[in-house]
Amino acid sequence: MTFLPIVERELRVAARRRSTYFGRVGGAVVAMIVGGWMMLAMQNQSPGQLGKVLFILLSVLLFVYSLAAGARITADCLSEEKREGTLGLLFLTDLKRYDIVSGKLVANSVNTFYGLLAAFPVLAISLLMGGVTSGEFWRVALVATNLLFFSLSVGMFASAVSRDERKALSLAFFILLIVLGTTPAIELGLNLTNQNHASSPFWLKPSPAFACFTAFGSHGGFGGFKPSDFWPTVLLTHIYGWIFLIMASVIVPRSWQDKVTK
């Protein structure tokens, strides 16, 4: 028996779709347009300075893209099946709950992932200009991919517990906001209420946003934080993704039935 059969099938189908190739080309074209515009706007700057600005700008856009696009494309993948009454048919087969969830995840995310992947070569142009290290490039690539997995999992969870498209999307972005902003808000509150409070990564590490800043290294403006602070945040973000994905797998078999109206 094939392990994760729906995933294998969806990857085969995606390899034959034109939208898969158009998505990759589109991601690369958008990245090249932004990069070309930056080069023209800052053509009087030194190559090293231009490389830093281009790297940071493209990185921020990739982070925003990973968070927003991931949650948006998966927030309605299961709830749509519930509304159409087809989700229950999948449970009449030999498929396991994780087969269904993982298959839906891959089916809806493959084009988004390819679009993200296509932008990395444009991001690497900043390495040729100088001012950016290879370590910073790979950290940004890792964080962007990790954020995409996290947001996709949040969208799957929201879709598993909701039936309405708008409610699922709103719940997904609400969860992202809570996970991203809660602990940094606590750290900000401590700094505002206690002037003697020294900034510490303790309240920042649980937030996936912290990895976005520490990935830049010396260009992130976070002097005082050690490079080792980067990896715990990346690991926690990845764990968050698996937690939401597992919860979606647990909830789906119990939430697809139509509710009895009185």
Side-chain angles (χ1 to χ4, degrees), residues 6-53:
I6 299 183
V7 173
E8 180 184 6
R9 175 185 176 277
E10 291 298 337
L11 289 176
R12 292 179 182 274
V13 171
R16 294 173 173 83
R17 284 200 301 256
R18 291 185 178 181
S19 60
T20 302
Y21 301 94
F22 290 152
R24 285 185 290 188
V25 173
V29 169
V30 171
M32 287 189 292
I33 290 175
V34 174
W37 175 77
M38 283 298 303
M39 292 180 185
L40 291 176
M42 300 184 62
Q43 56 184 337
N44 296 327
Q45 300 292 330
S46 63
Q49 186 65 26
L50 178 58
K52 292 179 183 179
V53 175

Side-chain angles (χ1 to χ4, degrees), residues 189-199:
L190 292 174
N191 288 329
L192 294 177
T193 57
N194 186 2
Q195 296 181 352
N196 296 324
H197 175 73
S199 297

